PDB file of all heavy atoms in Angstrom:
ATOM      1  N   ASN A   1      -9.485 -18.012  -6.331  1.00  0.00           N
ATOM      2  CA  ASN A   1      -8.807 -19.236  -5.938  1.00  0.00           C
ATOM      3  C   ASN A   1      -8.582 -20.134  -7.148  1.00  0.00           C
ATOM      4  O   ASN A   1      -7.503 -20.690  -7.327  1.00  0.00           O
ATOM      5  CB  ASN A   1      -9.622 -19.972  -4.875  1.00  0.00           C
ATOM      6  CG  ASN A   1      -8.897 -21.166  -4.318  1.00  0.00           C
ATOM      7  OD1 ASN A   1      -7.816 -21.040  -3.765  1.00  0.00           O
ATOM      8  ND2 ASN A   1      -9.486 -22.341  -4.474  1.00  0.00           N
ATOM      9  N   VAL A   2      -9.581 -20.243  -7.996  1.00  0.00           N
ATOM     10  CA  VAL A   2      -9.483 -21.101  -9.174  1.00  0.00           C
ATOM     11  C   VAL A   2      -8.677 -20.441 -10.287  1.00  0.00           C
ATOM     12  O   VAL A   2      -7.812 -21.064 -10.897  1.00  0.00           O
ATOM     13  CB  VAL A   2     -10.899 -21.446  -9.706  1.00  0.00           C
ATOM     14  CG1 VAL A   2     -10.837 -22.134 -11.051  1.00  0.00           C
ATOM     15  CG2 VAL A   2     -11.635 -22.305  -8.692  1.00  0.00           C
ATOM     16  N   ARG A   3      -8.923 -19.173 -10.545  1.00  0.00           N
ATOM     17  CA  ARG A   3      -8.366 -18.509 -11.721  1.00  0.00           C
ATOM     18  C   ARG A   3      -6.948 -17.982 -11.559  1.00  0.00           C
ATOM     19  O   ARG A   3      -6.189 -17.969 -12.518  1.00  0.00           O
ATOM     20  CB  ARG A   3      -9.257 -17.346 -12.135  1.00  0.00           C
ATOM     21  CG  ARG A   3     -10.633 -17.769 -12.575  1.00  0.00           C
ATOM     22  CD  ARG A   3     -11.444 -16.545 -12.898  1.00  0.00           C
ATOM     23  NE  ARG A   3     -12.804 -16.863 -13.268  1.00  0.00           N
ATOM     24  CZ  ARG A   3     -13.486 -16.180 -14.165  1.00  0.00           C
ATOM     25  NH1 ARG A   3     -12.954 -15.146 -14.761  1.00  0.00           N
ATOM     26  NH2 ARG A   3     -14.725 -16.515 -14.440  1.00  0.00           N
ATOM     27  N   ALA A   4      -6.595 -17.495 -10.396  1.00  0.00           N
ATOM     28  CA  ALA A   4      -5.317 -16.796 -10.264  1.00  0.00           C
ATOM     29  C   ALA A   4      -4.300 -17.506  -9.394  1.00  0.00           C
ATOM     30  O   ALA A   4      -3.117 -17.200  -9.465  1.00  0.00           O
ATOM     31  CB  ALA A   4      -5.563 -15.394  -9.704  1.00  0.00           C
ATOM     32  N   ALA A   5      -4.735 -18.415  -8.595  1.00  0.00           N
ATOM     33  CA  ALA A   5      -3.840 -19.004  -7.598  1.00  0.00           C
ATOM     34  C   ALA A   5      -2.659 -19.753  -8.212  1.00  0.00           C
ATOM     35  O   ALA A   5      -1.603 -19.842  -7.599  1.00  0.00           O
ATOM     36  CB  ALA A   5      -4.633 -19.917  -6.675  1.00  0.00           C
ATOM     37  N   ALA A   6      -2.800 -20.285  -9.395  1.00  0.00           N
ATOM     38  CA  ALA A   6      -1.730 -21.079 -10.002  1.00  0.00           C
ATOM     39  C   ALA A   6      -0.698 -20.231 -10.742  1.00  0.00           C
ATOM     40  O   ALA A   6       0.307 -20.760 -11.207  1.00  0.00           O
ATOM     41  CB  ALA A   6      -2.332 -22.103 -10.957  1.00  0.00           C
ATOM     42  N   LEU A   7      -0.925 -18.943 -10.856  1.00  0.00           N
ATOM     43  CA  LEU A   7       0.015 -18.093 -11.579  1.00  0.00           C
ATOM     44  C   LEU A   7       1.311 -17.950 -10.779  1.00  0.00           C
ATOM     45  O   LEU A   7       1.293 -17.684  -9.579  1.00  0.00           O
ATOM     46  CB  LEU A   7      -0.607 -16.721 -11.841  1.00  0.00           C
ATOM     47  CG  LEU A   7      -1.829 -16.742 -12.752  1.00  0.00           C
ATOM     48  CD1 LEU A   7      -2.468 -15.371 -12.817  1.00  0.00           C
ATOM     49  CD2 LEU A   7      -1.462 -17.223 -14.149  1.00  0.00           C
ATOM     50  N   GLU A   8       2.432 -18.127 -11.462  1.00  0.00           N
ATOM     51  CA  GLU A   8       3.730 -18.100 -10.786  1.00  0.00           C
ATOM     52  C   GLU A   8       4.103 -16.694 -10.341  1.00  0.00           C
ATOM     53  O   GLU A   8       3.731 -15.709 -10.974  1.00  0.00           O
ATOM     54  CB  GLU A   8       4.799 -18.653 -11.719  1.00  0.00           C
ATOM     55  CG  GLU A   8       4.622 -20.137 -12.001  1.00  0.00           C
ATOM     56  CD  GLU A   8       5.745 -20.691 -12.841  1.00  0.00           C
ATOM     57  OE1 GLU A   8       6.841 -20.122 -12.838  1.00  0.00           O
ATOM     58  OE2 GLU A   8       5.503 -21.711 -13.497  1.00  0.00           O
ATOM     59  N   GLN A   9       4.841 -16.631  -9.245  1.00  0.00           N
ATOM     60  CA  GLN A   9       5.340 -15.372  -8.685  1.00  0.00           C
ATOM     61  C   GLN A   9       4.222 -14.372  -8.418  1.00  0.00           C
ATOM     62  O   GLN A   9       4.403 -13.165  -8.557  1.00  0.00           O
ATOM     63  CB  GLN A   9       6.406 -14.757  -9.592  1.00  0.00           C
ATOM     64  CG  GLN A   9       7.668 -15.586  -9.678  1.00  0.00           C
ATOM     65  CD  GLN A   9       8.326 -15.752  -8.311  1.00  0.00           C
ATOM     66  OE1 GLN A   9       8.588 -14.784  -7.622  1.00  0.00           O
ATOM     67  NE2 GLN A   9       8.577 -16.989  -7.911  1.00  0.00           N
ATOM     68  N   SER A  10       3.066 -14.898  -8.067  1.00  0.00           N
ATOM     69  CA  SER A  10       1.902 -14.062  -7.782  1.00  0.00           C
ATOM     70  C   SER A  10       1.256 -14.526  -6.485  1.00  0.00           C
ATOM     71  O   SER A  10       1.360 -15.689  -6.113  1.00  0.00           O
ATOM     72  CB  SER A  10       0.865 -14.159  -8.909  1.00  0.00           C
ATOM     73  OG  SER A  10       1.417 -13.727 -10.127  1.00  0.00           O
ATOM     74  N   VAL A  11       0.580 -13.605  -5.847  1.00  0.00           N
ATOM     75  CA  VAL A  11      -0.163 -13.931  -4.641  1.00  0.00           C
ATOM     76  C   VAL A  11      -1.506 -13.219  -4.716  1.00  0.00           C
ATOM     77  O   VAL A  11      -1.591 -12.089  -5.206  1.00  0.00           O
ATOM     78  CB  VAL A  11       0.629 -13.536  -3.365  1.00  0.00           C
ATOM     79  CG1 VAL A  11       0.893 -12.056  -3.313  1.00  0.00           C
ATOM     80  CG2 VAL A  11      -0.066 -14.017  -2.123  1.00  0.00           C
ATOM     81  N   VAL A  12      -2.546 -13.908  -4.298  1.00  0.00           N
ATOM     82  CA  VAL A  12      -3.875 -13.318  -4.232  1.00  0.00           C
ATOM     83  C   VAL A  12      -4.207 -13.111  -2.765  1.00  0.00           C
ATOM     84  O   VAL A  12      -4.203 -14.065  -1.972  1.00  0.00           O
ATOM     85  CB  VAL A  12      -4.946 -14.211  -4.898  1.00  0.00           C
ATOM     86  CG1 VAL A  12      -6.320 -13.554  -4.786  1.00  0.00           C
ATOM     87  CG2 VAL A  12      -4.595 -14.479  -6.359  1.00  0.00           C
ATOM     88  N   LEU A  13      -4.470 -11.867  -2.395  1.00  0.00           N
ATOM     89  CA  LEU A  13      -4.787 -11.506  -1.021  1.00  0.00           C
ATOM     90  C   LEU A  13      -6.246 -11.105  -0.951  1.00  0.00           C
ATOM     91  O   LEU A  13      -6.664 -10.159  -1.631  1.00  0.00           O
ATOM     92  CB  LEU A  13      -3.895 -10.353  -0.558  1.00  0.00           C
ATOM     93  CG  LEU A  13      -2.388 -10.572  -0.741  1.00  0.00           C
ATOM     94  CD1 LEU A  13      -1.616  -9.320  -0.378  1.00  0.00           C
ATOM     95  CD2 LEU A  13      -1.923 -11.774   0.061  1.00  0.00           C
ATOM     96  N   ASN A  14      -7.016 -11.827  -0.175  1.00  0.00           N
ATOM     97  CA  ASN A  14      -8.424 -11.499   0.026  1.00  0.00           C
ATOM     98  C   ASN A  14      -8.515 -10.715   1.333  1.00  0.00           C
ATOM     99  O   ASN A  14      -8.260 -11.251   2.407  1.00  0.00           O
ATOM    100  CB  ASN A  14      -9.269 -12.770   0.108  1.00  0.00           C
ATOM    101  CG  ASN A  14     -10.734 -12.462  -0.050  1.00  0.00           C
ATOM    102  OD1 ASN A  14     -11.287 -12.598  -1.121  1.00  0.00           O
ATOM    103  ND2 ASN A  14     -11.366 -12.011   1.021  1.00  0.00           N
ATOM    104  N   ILE A  15      -8.849  -9.448   1.232  1.00  0.00           N
ATOM    105  CA  ILE A  15      -8.809  -8.545   2.379  1.00  0.00           C
ATOM    106  C   ILE A  15     -10.229  -8.163   2.776  1.00  0.00           C
ATOM    107  O   ILE A  15     -11.008  -7.702   1.947  1.00  0.00           O
ATOM    108  CB  ILE A  15      -7.984  -7.292   2.034  1.00  0.00           C
ATOM    109  CG1 ILE A  15      -6.561  -7.708   1.623  1.00  0.00           C
ATOM    110  CG2 ILE A  15      -7.965  -6.317   3.215  1.00  0.00           C
ATOM    111  CD1 ILE A  15      -5.760  -6.629   0.948  1.00  0.00           C
ATOM    112  N   SER A  16     -10.538  -8.371   4.073  1.00  0.00           N
ATOM    113  CA  SER A  16     -11.876  -8.056   4.571  1.00  0.00           C
ATOM    114  C   SER A  16     -11.788  -7.646   6.033  1.00  0.00           C
ATOM    115  O   SER A  16     -10.728  -7.686   6.642  1.00  0.00           O
ATOM    116  CB  SER A  16     -12.801  -9.269   4.435  1.00  0.00           C
ATOM    117  OG  SER A  16     -12.453 -10.262   5.389  1.00  0.00           O
ATOM    118  N   ALA A  17     -12.927  -7.296   6.584  1.00  0.00           N
ATOM    119  CA  ALA A  17     -13.015  -6.972   8.006  1.00  0.00           C
ATOM    120  C   ALA A  17     -13.319  -8.217   8.840  1.00  0.00           C
ATOM    121  O   ALA A  17     -13.417  -8.131  10.056  1.00  0.00           O
ATOM    122  CB  ALA A  17     -14.091  -5.909   8.247  1.00  0.00           C
ATOM    123  N   ASP A  18     -13.435  -9.362   8.198  1.00  0.00           N
ATOM    124  CA  ASP A  18     -13.736 -10.595   8.928  1.00  0.00           C
ATOM    125  C   ASP A  18     -12.651 -10.904   9.951  1.00  0.00           C
ATOM    126  O   ASP A  18     -11.466 -10.643   9.714  1.00  0.00           O
ATOM    127  CB  ASP A  18     -13.840 -11.778   7.956  1.00  0.00           C
ATOM    128  CG  ASP A  18     -15.017 -11.662   7.027  1.00  0.00           C
ATOM    129  OD1 ASP A  18     -16.133 -11.435   7.528  1.00  0.00           O
ATOM    130  OD2 ASP A  18     -14.824 -11.801   5.810  1.00  0.00           O
ATOM    131  N   LEU A  19     -13.043 -11.490  11.059  1.00  0.00           N
ATOM    132  CA  LEU A  19     -12.062 -11.959  12.026  1.00  0.00           C
ATOM    133  C   LEU A  19     -11.233 -13.072  11.389  1.00  0.00           C
ATOM    134  O   LEU A  19     -11.746 -13.851  10.575  1.00  0.00           O
ATOM    135  CB  LEU A  19     -12.747 -12.483  13.279  1.00  0.00           C
ATOM    136  CG  LEU A  19     -13.433 -11.438  14.146  1.00  0.00           C
ATOM    137  CD1 LEU A  19     -14.163 -12.108  15.305  1.00  0.00           C
ATOM    138  CD2 LEU A  19     -12.432 -10.422  14.664  1.00  0.00           C
ATOM    139  N   PRO A  20      -9.969 -13.172  11.718  1.00  0.00           N
ATOM    140  CA  PRO A  20      -9.131 -14.220  11.141  1.00  0.00           C
ATOM    141  C   PRO A  20      -9.694 -15.622  11.352  1.00  0.00           C
ATOM    142  O   PRO A  20      -9.570 -16.475  10.474  1.00  0.00           O
ATOM    143  CB  PRO A  20      -7.794 -14.052  11.881  1.00  0.00           C
ATOM    144  CG  PRO A  20      -7.765 -12.604  12.248  1.00  0.00           C
ATOM    145  CD  PRO A  20      -9.194 -12.258  12.571  1.00  0.00           C
ATOM    146  N   PHE A  21     -10.353 -15.861  12.485  1.00  0.00           N
ATOM    147  CA  PHE A  21     -10.931 -17.179  12.754  1.00  0.00           C
ATOM    148  C   PHE A  21     -12.025 -17.507  11.739  1.00  0.00           C
ATOM    149  O   PHE A  21     -12.094 -18.626  11.225  1.00  0.00           O
ATOM    150  CB  PHE A  21     -11.533 -17.232  14.162  1.00  0.00           C
ATOM    151  CG  PHE A  21     -10.657 -16.610  15.214  1.00  0.00           C
ATOM    152  CD1 PHE A  21     -11.030 -15.416  15.808  1.00  0.00           C
ATOM    153  CD2 PHE A  21      -9.463 -17.199  15.592  1.00  0.00           C
ATOM    154  CE1 PHE A  21     -10.223 -14.838  16.775  1.00  0.00           C
ATOM    155  CE2 PHE A  21      -8.654 -16.630  16.555  1.00  0.00           C
ATOM    156  CZ  PHE A  21      -9.035 -15.436  17.149  1.00  0.00           C
ATOM    157  N   ALA A  22     -12.869 -16.545  11.462  1.00  0.00           N
ATOM    158  CA  ALA A  22     -13.956 -16.748  10.501  1.00  0.00           C
ATOM    159  C   ALA A  22     -13.395 -16.935   9.094  1.00  0.00           C
ATOM    160  O   ALA A  22     -13.871 -17.782   8.335  1.00  0.00           O
ATOM    161  CB  ALA A  22     -14.931 -15.570  10.541  1.00  0.00           C
ATOM    162  N   ALA A  23     -12.383 -16.146   8.732  1.00  0.00           N
ATOM    163  CA  ALA A  23     -11.770 -16.276   7.408  1.00  0.00           C
ATOM    164  C   ALA A  23     -11.122 -17.653   7.254  1.00  0.00           C
ATOM    165  O   ALA A  23     -11.248 -18.289   6.200  1.00  0.00           O
ATOM    166  CB  ALA A  23     -10.759 -15.162   7.191  1.00  0.00           C
ATOM    167  N   ALA A  24     -10.433 -18.116   8.288  1.00  0.00           N
ATOM    168  CA  ALA A  24      -9.805 -19.438   8.235  1.00  0.00           C
ATOM    169  C   ALA A  24     -10.853 -20.530   8.078  1.00  0.00           C
ATOM    170  O   ALA A  24     -10.684 -21.468   7.287  1.00  0.00           O
ATOM    171  CB  ALA A  24      -8.969 -19.678   9.492  1.00  0.00           C
ATOM    172  N   ARG A  25     -11.941 -20.424   8.820  1.00  0.00           N
ATOM    173  CA  ARG A  25     -13.023 -21.409   8.737  1.00  0.00           C
ATOM    174  C   ARG A  25     -13.636 -21.403   7.334  1.00  0.00           C
ATOM    175  O   ARG A  25     -13.886 -22.454   6.745  1.00  0.00           O
ATOM    176  CB  ARG A  25     -14.073 -21.118   9.799  1.00  0.00           C
ATOM    177  CG  ARG A  25     -15.149 -22.170   9.911  1.00  0.00           C
ATOM    178  CD  ARG A  25     -16.081 -21.962  11.106  1.00  0.00           C
ATOM    179  NE  ARG A  25     -16.574 -20.591  11.240  1.00  0.00           N
ATOM    180  CZ  ARG A  25     -16.189 -19.727  12.191  1.00  0.00           C
ATOM    181  NH1 ARG A  25     -15.316 -20.078  13.106  1.00  0.00           N
ATOM    182  NH2 ARG A  25     -16.689 -18.515  12.234  1.00  0.00           N
ATOM    183  N   PHE A  26     -13.866 -20.215   6.776  1.00  0.00           N
ATOM    184  CA  PHE A  26     -14.409 -20.101   5.422  1.00  0.00           C
ATOM    185  C   PHE A  26     -13.474 -20.797   4.427  1.00  0.00           C
ATOM    186  O   PHE A  26     -13.923 -21.600   3.609  1.00  0.00           O
ATOM    187  CB  PHE A  26     -14.606 -18.634   5.039  1.00  0.00           C
ATOM    188  CG  PHE A  26     -14.911 -18.449   3.585  1.00  0.00           C
ATOM    189  CD1 PHE A  26     -16.199 -18.598   3.105  1.00  0.00           C
ATOM    190  CD2 PHE A  26     -13.902 -18.145   2.686  1.00  0.00           C
ATOM    191  CE1 PHE A  26     -16.472 -18.449   1.753  1.00  0.00           C
ATOM    192  CE2 PHE A  26     -14.166 -17.985   1.335  1.00  0.00           C
ATOM    193  CZ  PHE A  26     -15.462 -18.146   0.864  1.00  0.00           C
ATOM    194  N   CYS A  27     -12.187 -20.467   4.486  1.00  0.00           N
ATOM    195  CA  CYS A  27     -11.235 -21.038   3.533  1.00  0.00           C
ATOM    196  C   CYS A  27     -11.169 -22.565   3.660  1.00  0.00           C
ATOM    197  O   CYS A  27     -11.120 -23.267   2.648  1.00  0.00           O
ATOM    198  CB  CYS A  27      -9.850 -20.414   3.722  1.00  0.00           C
ATOM    199  SG  CYS A  27      -9.770 -18.679   3.204  1.00  0.00           S
ATOM    200  N   GLU A  28     -11.193 -23.060   4.871  1.00  0.00           N
ATOM    201  CA  GLU A  28     -11.150 -24.507   5.073  1.00  0.00           C
ATOM    202  C   GLU A  28     -12.421 -25.169   4.536  1.00  0.00           C
ATOM    203  O   GLU A  28     -12.360 -26.160   3.811  1.00  0.00           O
ATOM    204  CB  GLU A  28     -10.985 -24.826   6.558  1.00  0.00           C
ATOM    205  CG  GLU A  28     -10.868 -26.309   6.822  1.00  0.00           C
ATOM    206  CD  GLU A  28     -10.644 -26.624   8.290  1.00  0.00           C
ATOM    207  OE1 GLU A  28     -10.027 -25.819   9.004  1.00  0.00           O
ATOM    208  OE2 GLU A  28     -11.118 -27.694   8.715  1.00  0.00           O
ATOM    209  N   THR A  29     -13.567 -24.624   4.869  1.00  0.00           N
ATOM    210  CA  THR A  29     -14.848 -25.184   4.427  1.00  0.00           C
ATOM    211  C   THR A  29     -14.977 -25.161   2.911  1.00  0.00           C
ATOM    212  O   THR A  29     -15.474 -26.110   2.310  1.00  0.00           O
ATOM    213  CB  THR A  29     -16.021 -24.398   5.054  1.00  0.00           C
ATOM    214  OG1 THR A  29     -15.913 -24.487   6.468  1.00  0.00           O
ATOM    215  CG2 THR A  29     -17.361 -24.935   4.606  1.00  0.00           C
ATOM    216  N   GLU A  30     -14.516 -24.070   2.290  1.00  0.00           N
ATOM    217  CA  GLU A  30     -14.667 -23.898   0.841  1.00  0.00           C
ATOM    218  C   GLU A  30     -13.511 -24.488   0.031  1.00  0.00           C
ATOM    219  O   GLU A  30     -13.537 -24.429  -1.192  1.00  0.00           O
ATOM    220  CB  GLU A  30     -14.790 -22.397   0.515  1.00  0.00           C
ATOM    221  CG  GLU A  30     -16.036 -21.757   1.067  1.00  0.00           C
ATOM    222  CD  GLU A  30     -17.300 -22.216   0.370  1.00  0.00           C
ATOM    223  OE1 GLU A  30     -17.246 -22.576  -0.829  1.00  0.00           O
ATOM    224  OE2 GLU A  30     -18.351 -22.227   1.026  1.00  0.00           O
ATOM    225  N   GLY A  31     -12.478 -24.984   0.699  1.00  0.00           N
ATOM    226  CA  GLY A  31     -11.322 -25.522  -0.015  1.00  0.00           C
ATOM    227  C   GLY A  31     -10.489 -24.443  -0.683  1.00  0.00           C
ATOM    228  O   GLY A  31      -9.867 -24.686  -1.717  1.00  0.00           O
ATOM    229  N   ILE A  32     -10.470 -23.275  -0.097  1.00  0.00           N
ATOM    230  CA  ILE A  32      -9.707 -22.146  -0.645  1.00  0.00           C
ATOM    231  C   ILE A  32      -8.274 -22.276  -0.133  1.00  0.00           C
ATOM    232  O   ILE A  32      -8.000 -22.052   1.039  1.00  0.00           O
ATOM    233  CB  ILE A  32     -10.301 -20.785  -0.196  1.00  0.00           C
ATOM    234  CG1 ILE A  32     -11.774 -20.692  -0.513  1.00  0.00           C
ATOM    235  CG2 ILE A  32      -9.482 -19.632  -0.745  1.00  0.00           C
ATOM    236  CD1 ILE A  32     -12.139 -20.318  -1.891  1.00  0.00           C
ATOM    237  N   ASP A  33      -7.364 -22.629  -1.034  1.00  0.00           N
ATOM    238  CA  ASP A  33      -5.970 -22.763  -0.620  1.00  0.00           C
ATOM    239  C   ASP A  33      -5.016 -21.948  -1.473  1.00  0.00           C
ATOM    240  O   ASP A  33      -3.819 -21.922  -1.217  1.00  0.00           O
ATOM    241  CB  ASP A  33      -5.555 -24.226  -0.608  1.00  0.00           C
ATOM    242  CG  ASP A  33      -5.741 -24.898  -1.956  1.00  0.00           C
ATOM    243  OD1 ASP A  33      -6.092 -24.225  -2.946  1.00  0.00           O
ATOM    244  OD2 ASP A  33      -5.537 -26.120  -2.030  1.00  0.00           O
ATOM    245  N   GLY A  34      -5.537 -21.264  -2.481  1.00  0.00           N
ATOM    246  CA  GLY A  34      -4.698 -20.453  -3.356  1.00  0.00           C
ATOM    247  C   GLY A  34      -4.868 -18.966  -3.123  1.00  0.00           C
ATOM    248  O   GLY A  34      -4.309 -18.162  -3.865  1.00  0.00           O
ATOM    249  N   VAL A  35      -5.640 -18.612  -2.129  1.00  0.00           N
ATOM    250  CA  VAL A  35      -5.882 -17.215  -1.786  1.00  0.00           C
ATOM    251  C   VAL A  35      -5.562 -17.056  -0.311  1.00  0.00           C
ATOM    252  O   VAL A  35      -5.962 -17.888   0.506  1.00  0.00           O
ATOM    253  CB  VAL A  35      -7.358 -16.831  -2.053  1.00  0.00           C
ATOM    254  CG1 VAL A  35      -7.681 -15.454  -1.525  1.00  0.00           C
ATOM    255  CG2 VAL A  35      -7.664 -16.918  -3.548  1.00  0.00           C
ATOM    256  N   GLU A  36      -4.832 -16.006   0.038  1.00  0.00           N
ATOM    257  CA  GLU A  36      -4.523 -15.752   1.439  1.00  0.00           C
ATOM    258  C   GLU A  36      -5.526 -14.752   2.002  1.00  0.00           C
ATOM    259  O   GLU A  36      -5.681 -13.650   1.476  1.00  0.00           O
ATOM    260  CB  GLU A  36      -3.108 -15.199   1.576  1.00  0.00           C
ATOM    261  CG  GLU A  36      -2.695 -15.028   3.016  1.00  0.00           C
ATOM    262  CD  GLU A  36      -1.249 -14.625   3.192  1.00  0.00           C
ATOM    263  OE1 GLU A  36      -0.476 -14.651   2.209  1.00  0.00           O
ATOM    264  OE2 GLU A  36      -0.897 -14.281   4.327  1.00  0.00           O
ATOM    265  N   ALA A  37      -6.206 -15.146   3.058  1.00  0.00           N
ATOM    266  CA  ALA A  37      -7.195 -14.273   3.697  1.00  0.00           C
ATOM    267  C   ALA A  37      -6.493 -13.375   4.712  1.00  0.00           C
ATOM    268  O   ALA A  37      -5.746 -13.859   5.564  1.00  0.00           O
ATOM    269  CB  ALA A  37      -8.265 -15.103   4.381  1.00  0.00           C
ATOM    270  N   LEU A  38      -6.742 -12.074   4.611  1.00  0.00           N
ATOM    271  CA  LEU A  38      -6.177 -11.093   5.524  1.00  0.00           C
ATOM    272  C   LEU A  38      -7.296 -10.271   6.139  1.00  0.00           C
ATOM    273  O   LEU A  38      -8.288  -9.966   5.475  1.00  0.00           O
ATOM    274  CB  LEU A  38      -5.191 -10.171   4.806  1.00  0.00           C
ATOM    275  CG  LEU A  38      -3.983 -10.849   4.161  1.00  0.00           C
ATOM    276  CD1 LEU A  38      -3.142  -9.824   3.400  1.00  0.00           C
ATOM    277  CD2 LEU A  38      -3.147 -11.585   5.187  1.00  0.00           C
ATOM    278  N   SER A  39      -7.107  -9.885   7.390  1.00  0.00           N
ATOM    279  CA  SER A  39      -8.135  -9.178   8.146  1.00  0.00           C
ATOM    280  C   SER A  39      -7.686  -7.787   8.564  1.00  0.00           C
ATOM    281  O   SER A  39      -6.519  -7.570   8.890  1.00  0.00           O
ATOM    282  CB  SER A  39      -8.469  -9.994   9.399  1.00  0.00           C
ATOM    283  OG  SER A  39      -9.337  -9.279  10.249  1.00  0.00           O
ATOM    284  N   MET A  40      -8.651  -6.873   8.605  1.00  0.00           N
ATOM    285  CA  MET A  40      -8.434  -5.531   9.141  1.00  0.00           C
ATOM    286  C   MET A  40      -8.758  -5.496  10.630  1.00  0.00           C
ATOM    287  O   MET A  40      -8.976  -4.438  11.199  1.00  0.00           O
ATOM    288  CB  MET A  40      -9.320  -4.514   8.415  1.00  0.00           C
ATOM    289  CG  MET A  40      -9.061  -4.393   6.942  1.00  0.00           C
ATOM    290  SD  MET A  40     -10.027  -3.072   6.175  1.00  0.00           S
ATOM    291  CE  MET A  40     -11.683  -3.396   6.770  1.00  0.00           C
ATOM    292  N   MET A  41      -8.761  -6.642  11.279  1.00  0.00           N
ATOM    293  CA  MET A  41      -9.181  -6.782  12.665  1.00  0.00           C
ATOM    294  C   MET A  41      -8.534  -5.755  13.595  1.00  0.00           C
ATOM    295  O   MET A  41      -9.210  -5.163  14.425  1.00  0.00           O
ATOM    296  CB  MET A  41      -8.842  -8.191  13.162  1.00  0.00           C
ATOM    297  CG  MET A  41      -9.097  -8.418  14.633  1.00  0.00           C
ATOM    298  SD  MET A  41      -8.627 -10.079  15.159  1.00  0.00           S
ATOM    299  CE  MET A  41      -6.882  -9.881  15.425  1.00  0.00           C
ATOM    300  N   ARG A  42      -7.255  -5.524  13.462  1.00  0.00           N
ATOM    301  CA  ARG A  42      -6.533  -4.661  14.396  1.00  0.00           C
ATOM    302  C   ARG A  42      -6.490  -3.206  13.980  1.00  0.00           C
ATOM    303  O   ARG A  42      -6.147  -2.345  14.792  1.00  0.00           O
ATOM    304  CB  ARG A  42      -5.107  -5.174  14.569  1.00  0.00           C
ATOM    305  CG  ARG A  42      -5.056  -6.513  15.252  1.00  0.00           C
ATOM    306  CD  ARG A  42      -3.629  -6.900  15.619  1.00  0.00           C
ATOM    307  NE  ARG A  42      -3.664  -8.150  16.350  1.00  0.00           N
ATOM    308  CZ  ARG A  42      -3.088  -9.270  15.916  1.00  0.00           C
ATOM    309  NH1 ARG A  42      -2.412  -9.285  14.797  1.00  0.00           N
ATOM    310  NH2 ARG A  42      -3.190 -10.366  16.639  1.00  0.00           N
ATOM    311  N   ASP A  43      -6.795  -2.926  12.723  1.00  0.00           N
ATOM    312  CA  ASP A  43      -6.573  -1.567  12.238  1.00  0.00           C
ATOM    313  C   ASP A  43      -7.359  -1.327  10.950  1.00  0.00           C
ATOM    314  O   ASP A  43      -7.186  -2.057   9.988  1.00  0.00           O
ATOM    315  CB  ASP A  43      -5.071  -1.389  11.992  1.00  0.00           C
ATOM    316  CG  ASP A  43      -4.664   0.030  11.713  1.00  0.00           C
ATOM    317  OD1 ASP A  43      -5.536   0.901  11.570  1.00  0.00           O
ATOM    318  OD2 ASP A  43      -3.446   0.270  11.630  1.00  0.00           O
ATOM    319  N   ARG A  44      -8.194  -0.307  10.950  1.00  0.00           N
ATOM    320  CA  ARG A  44      -8.981   0.026   9.757  1.00  0.00           C
ATOM    321  C   ARG A  44      -8.242   1.008   8.835  1.00  0.00           C
ATOM    322  O   ARG A  44      -8.792   1.475   7.856  1.00  0.00           O
ATOM    323  CB  ARG A  44     -10.331   0.642  10.149  1.00  0.00           C
ATOM    324  CG  ARG A  44     -11.288  -0.302  10.867  1.00  0.00           C
ATOM    325  CD  ARG A  44     -11.896  -1.281   9.894  1.00  0.00           C
ATOM    326  NE  ARG A  44     -13.070  -1.925  10.427  1.00  0.00           N
ATOM    327  CZ  ARG A  44     -13.071  -3.122  10.988  1.00  0.00           C
ATOM    328  NH1 ARG A  44     -11.965  -3.796  11.114  1.00  0.00           N
ATOM    329  NH2 ARG A  44     -14.191  -3.650  11.417  1.00  0.00           N
TER     330      ARG A  44
END
């Protein structure tokens, strides 16, 4: 979030098995706004 999020024409995808609700709560609590959280919830 700190190191890569400001790079132009780039996206940082944080991929985990976490439920989207938990990932959203984590990002909000931690102030993570430069990384997009993605979940394997529907498909491994």
Side-chain angles (χ1 to χ4, degrees):
N1 186 59
V2 170
R3 296 177 183 214
L7 296 173
E8 293 184 24
Q9 294 299 307
S10 300
V11 61
V12 179
L13 307 174
N14 195 98
I15 302 166
S16 72
D18 294 309
L19 291 176
F21 316 110
R25 187 172 48 252
F26 169 83
C27 290
E28 183 178 329
T29 300
E30 295 290 331
I32 307 278
D33 58 6
V35 172
E36 185 174 350
L38 300 176
S39 173
M40 299 185 311
M41 174 182 83
R42 293 189 176 117
D43 190 353
R44 293 285 197 262

